[in-house]
Amino acid sequence: MIRKTLFAAAALAAMAGSAFAASAWTGGDDLPTNPLACDGTAGAAAAKPYDGGEPTGAPDRKGKKITVVDVPKLIGIGYFNATSKGIADAAKELGNVDAKTDGPTQANIDQQITFIDNYITSGVDGILFAANDPVAIAPVLKKALSKGINVVGYDANSQPDARQWFVNQAEFNGIAKAMVDNLAKEIGEEGAFAIVTSTFTTPNQARWIAEMAAYAEKCHPKMKWLETVEAQEDNVLSFNQATTLINKYGDELKGIFGMTSVATPASAEAVTQANKCGTIAVVGLATPNAMKPYVEKDCVKSVVLWNPVDLGYAAMQVLRAVADGDLKPGATSVKAGKLGELQVINGSEILLGAPFVFSKENIGQFDF
Amino acid sequence: MSAAWKNLLLRHETILGVLLVITLIVLAFQSDRFFTADNLLNQGRLMAEVGLVALAMTFVIVTGGIDLSVGSILGLVAILLGVFWQKLGLPLPLAMMLGIVVGGVAGLVNGLIITRFGVPPLIATLATLALYRGLAEGISQARSVRGYPDWFFMLGQGEFLGVPVQLWIFGLCAVIAAVILGLSTFGRATYAIGSNAVAARFSGLSVDRSLLLIYTASGLIAGLAAVIFVSRVSTTRSDMGTGLELDVITAVVLGGTSIFGGRGTIIGTLLGLGLMQALKNGLALAGVKGDGTIVVIGAVLIGTILISNIFRKDADG
């Protein structure tokens, strides 16, 4: 038995060493990947019919005042404070929306479901959500649709038929390209790196990691992936995990990817405290305020993100458009206030735009 | 007023019952959507898992023990259910049974550590809280299992005679638990152990056997709750049930079960559960945000126990 296991492990390692060099990073998902071209040519958007859901018996809400609740993954962190601000901004600008944000204080599927369930009972007109789990949240969202409530997701998707539209902050392959390109630029084509993520099943992170693996294999084949570690979305745990990586791999480790807005600053802090600024690069997804100290000290050069305030703003605008009946299945774009015309992709998703890289030159202009 | 009447009126359960009624009335006035059959049944659905585990936890706490590992057992069983069914290809009903059995074994392990090695329950189950969660995460390799057949969702999302299926299961278990704790020899032994384990031992009660049974039951029922939970949310994740133990213990303690053992009833636990769920739901419907609700629940817990203690002192003096 042991011999068999060893043999299997060896075979697996051999496989990993050759054909699947970069496609087997832990923490990715099993879905097919679609890496962008190395030189940055835009990917072709495949036409796809509308695959979202429809509310049953929704009243005519056109132009009428509506009550909207926003249930993010969790409340009290910078990122969702920013989306919440965007939602409030849009609601104020629209003038006929009463929007509020409420949600669990931990990213917990059960609690999030309970929150949404309660708001369905309380009789809201619209629900905005960022799913903690795409499948687990589906039954309660379908229930909302069945009660005639408009449902729009942002940040983290559910199964498509459980909501009407999803505002996609950036396509996964776009983020993956920005992350990998920037790290390659900093540590060179043959550098070794590790990844600090939330959990291996968190949908966004898993998708990004899978796309990063695919893109790295295609465009930076010599970069070496060492390990992916889980750190929930927990500050202390992220710091500890990053410190462990630094101690474990020593000089071999040239770079760290932070996959969450918590993991990236914590990793940067770990690198700073280990006096490895300049020798270990940190590239990751994070909000600018958390990263300003490290960017200004030149410890971190690239922070990849979109603008979460815009994301919340767009989600609110889309929900209003759906409630008004202005955004119907089959549409190819939607007007989103100050953001202008946003493109519909993948059947029932609305793309916010290309990812944004914050650097020392521009980070001072952002405050969220 | 006769002493018997006074005793009944000043019981923790009576005070709690009155408090629950007042809460329901106040909340009903706060939102017209609160006191509807639809909402109340739905709340029953949401609280069934915590409720099931709280039944067994009442026994555990009455013996003067505690079981912190129930949330982790729930996570472990949820993951194993998915693994047994999808990875090992077992028929789903068998996978469900096996999962619940694993829950029982996990509980038995708790019991063995506590009785055979004399480790305090708090420490033993704190250790297995980490251990079982680690197993769940290790086994799942952090992949979730989805795509269960439709009939399976009956358990967590379906209805029978207009009442959520899991509420029937919970009701049945509650009756059984109340009868065992309130009316059987085993129940009296449970109280005796909690009041004074040494005295119980010298009175010829098989303390270890009772404790083993109770911790095993706690694991079994956490396993059952896991199956219902998976059916309700239609997927398995290794982080399921995180923090469940705190909700459960809150409900049990709110229900008047003494953390030092020897005192507590199933009725009390049911009232505690009801009060907690009513507050969570009612305050949300009344427009109070989630963070405010937690504060209120904490305040109510302290308040109820203080009131109960004051009355008890009056009654004694």
Side-chain angles (χ1 to χ4, degrees), chain A residues 151-171:
Chain A
V151 181
V152 170
Y154 65 93
D155 184 67
N157 205 351
S158 68
Q159 290 174 326
D161 60 343
R163 44 87 185 143
Q164 293 179 271
W165 296 89
F166 171 71
V167 182
N168 194 332
Q169 56 273 38
E171 283 197 279

Side-chain angles (χ1 to χ4, degrees), chain B residues 3-278:
Chain B
W5 267 106
K6 199 170 170 187
N7 253 344
L8 183 69
L9 275 180
L10 292 180
R11 279 184 72 98
H12 184 92
E13 287 80 3
T14 319
I15 298 170
L16 202 62
V18 172
L19 196 65
L20 179 59
V21 172
I22 296 173
T23 310
L24 289 177
I25 293 172
V26 171
L27 290 172
F29 275 106
Q30 293 296 315
S31 164
D32 55 357
R33 293 170 193 270
F34 174 70
F35 212 78
T36 59
D38 202 23
N39 182 43
L40 295 183
L41 287 177
N42 192 32
Q43 292 312 308
R45 188 192 290 283
L46 294 176
M47 109 187 160
E49 296 121 22
V50 171
L52 278 169
V53 180
L55 295 175
M57 186 69 83
T58 310
F59 281 79
V60 171
I61 298 183
V62 164
T63 66
I66 195 122
D67 188 350
L68 297 177
S69 69
V70 284
S72 297
I73 294 180
L74 191 147
L76 179 62
V77 173
I79 285 301
L80 285 178
L81 172 65
V83 169
F84 286 154
W85 175 65
Q86 199 179 53
K87 301 283 178 327
L88 303 185
L90 298 179
L92 191 49
L94 184 64
M96 288 157 69
M97 295 302 293
L98 271 180
I100 296 175
V101 169
V102 171
V105 171
L108 179 66
V109 170
N110 282 338
L112 286 173
I113 299 173
I114 292 162
T115 55
R116 291 284 182 276
F117 303 104
V119 179
L122 181 78
I123 293 166
T125 58
L126 188 63
T128 52
L129 166 119
L131 185 93
Y132 296 150
R133 180 69 63 196
L135 279 178
E137 284 176 358
I139 292 170
S140 73
Q141 284 302 307
R143 307 246 187 231
S144 47
V145 174
R146 296 159 181 173
Y148 293 95
D150 280 343
W151 68 261
F152 176 62
F153 299 134
M154 191 60 204
L155 197 57
Q157 299 174 25
E159 288 179 352
F160 180 67
L161 299 179
V163 173
V165 172
Q166 63 263 60
L167 214 50
W168 288 104
I169 301 176
F170 175 54
L172 185 70
C173 290
V175 170
I176 296 173
V179 168
I180 294 178
L181 187 61
L183 303 174
S184 75
T185 340
F186 186 79
R188 283 192 290 282
T190 308
Y191 285 113
I193 294 168
S195 302
N196 190 333
V198 180
R201 211 178 288 271
F202 280 109
S203 316
L205 293 174
S206 46
V207 174
D208 287 357
R209 204 181 123 255
S210 303
L211 286 178
L212 277 180
L213 271 172
I214 288 171
Y215 281 95
T216 307
S218 176
L220 271 177
I221 212 156
L224 176 62
V227 174
I228 294 174
F229 191 36
V230 171
S231 166
R232 177 160 70 85
V233 302
S234 61
T235 177
T236 57
R237 286 164 55 109
S238 55
D239 64 351
M240 278 177 156
T242 321
L244 177 92
E245 61 279 354
L246 297 180
D247 276 348
V248 169
I249 295 168
T250 309
V252 174
V253 175
L254 188 59
T257 300
S258 164
I259 203 80
F260 302 112
R263 193 156 52 80
T265 58
I266 294 292
I267 301 283
T269 297
L270 295 179
L271 289 170
L273 265 175
L275 185 59
M276 207 166 79
Q277 193 68 28

Side-chain angles (χ1 to χ4, degrees), chain A residues 216-236:
Chain A
E217 187 184 17
K218 182 174 167 188
C219 301
H220 304 281
K222 287 186 179 156
M223 285 176 83
K224 190 176 168 213
W225 169 77
L226 295 170
E227 189 180 356
T228 307
V229 292
E230 287 185 288
Q232 311 297 338
E233 297 211 10
D234 183 299
N235 224 332
V236 178

Side-chain angles (χ1 to χ4, degrees), chain A:
Chain A
M1 184 66 206
I2 292 176
R3 190 172 299 166
K4 250 184 196 164
T5 318
L6 279 179
F7 182 73
L12 215 68
M15 267 162 61
S18 55
F20 296 103
S23 60
W25 299 2
T26 314
D29 57 24
D30 309 324
L31 302 173
T33 53
N34 178 25
L36 290 175
C38 303
D39 58 5
T41 349
K48 198 175 157 193
Y50 179 78
D51 58 355
E54 278 292 334
T56 43
D60 178 21
R61 298 190 168 107
K62 190 164 179 69
K64 291 186 186 130
K65 182 139 186 123
I66 56 172
T67 324
V68 173
V69 64
D70 157 42
V71 185
K73 287 185 189 178
L74 74 168
I75 55 167
I77 64 166
Y79 180 78
F80 285 114
N81 285 348
T83 56
S84 175
K85 180 179 179 296
I87 290 167
D89 288 351
K92 202 170 150 198
E93 198 180 300
L94 288 162
N96 52 4
V97 179
D98 184 9
K100 79 164 171 179
T101 298
D102 194 7
T105 49
Q106 287 180 315
N108 179 312
I109 46 168
D110 192 29
Q111 286 185 34
Q112 187 178 33
I113 291 167
T114 310
F115 270 97
I116 295 176
D117 210 324
N118 279 338
Y119 279 107
I120 294 173
T121 312
S122 77
V124 293
D125 299 296
I127 292 175
L128 294 168
F129 71 90
N132 278 316
D133 184 290
V135 177
I137 203 172
V140 76
L141 293 181
K142 283 181 183 157
K143 180 176 166 186
L145 287 174
S146 76
K147 306 244 166 171
I149 297 171
N150 291 117
V151 181
V152 170
Y154 65 93
D155 184 67
N157 205 351
S158 68
Q159 290 174 326
D161 60 343
R163 44 87 185 143
Q164 293 179 271
W165 296 89
F166 171 71
V167 182
N168 194 332
Q169 56 273 38
E171 283 197 279
F172 292 105
N173 51 13
I175 291 283
K177 175 173 160 53
M179 296 272 278
V180 177
D181 279 348
N182 277 293
L183 191 72
K185 201 167 70 192
E186 291 184 36
I187 68 171
E189 290 295 338
E190 297 185 7
F193 61 90
I195 303 174
V196 182
T197 186
S198 49
T199 75
F200 294 153
T201 44
T202 322
N204 280 352
Q205 274 73 13
R207 206 75 272 285
W208 282 320
I209 293 174
E211 285 287 357
M212 281 158 63
Y215 179 76
E217 187 184 17
K218 182 174 167 188
C219 301
H220 304 281
K222 287 186 179 156
M223 285 176 83
K224 190 176 168 213
W225 169 77
L226 295 170
E227 189 180 356
T228 307
V229 292
E230 287 185 288
Q232 311 297 338
E233 297 211 10
D234 183 299
N235 224 332
V236 178
L237 190 58
S238 301
F239 175 82
N240 291 345
Q241 291 284 43
T243 307
T244 310
L245 286 173
I246 295 168
N247 294 336
K248 184 171 168 186
Y249 292 104
D251 291 338
E252 196 189 358
L253 183 71
K254 298 285 184 239
I256 296 177
F257 279 123
M259 301 306 299
T260 72
S261 61
V262 180
T264 310
S267 301
E269 183 61 31
V271 169
T272 310
Q273 290 195 13
N275 281 324
K276 295 277 191 182
C277 275
T279 50
I280 298 180
V282 175
V283 171
L285 298 152
T287 51
N289 276 355
M291 296 306 291
K292 271 178 195 163
Y294 310 107
V295 173
E296 279 158 9
K297 274 186 292 190
D298 277 326
C299 204
V300 173
K301 294 202 178 66
S302 349
V303 181
V304 178
L305 200 70
W306 48 92
N307 188 333
V309 181
D310 285 350
L311 177 61
Y313 180 90
M316 187 63 246
Q317 290 282 357
V318 167
L319 183 65
R320 184 71 244 188
V322 174
D324 284 346
D326 293 342
L327 175 59
K328 290 195 183 75
T332 53
S333 69
V334 58
K335 266 203 204 60
K338 64 174 182 187
L339 297 177
E341 201 85 12
L342 298 181
Q343 191 198 346
V344 171
I345 55 168
N346 299 334
S348 59
E349 296 180 13
I350 286 145
L351 183 62
L352 184 64
F356 191 87
V357 180
F358 299 97
S359 62
K360 200 174 180 184
E361 286 73 42
N362 62 27
I363 200 164
Q365 302 158 20
F366 295 89
D367 183 24
F368 63 85

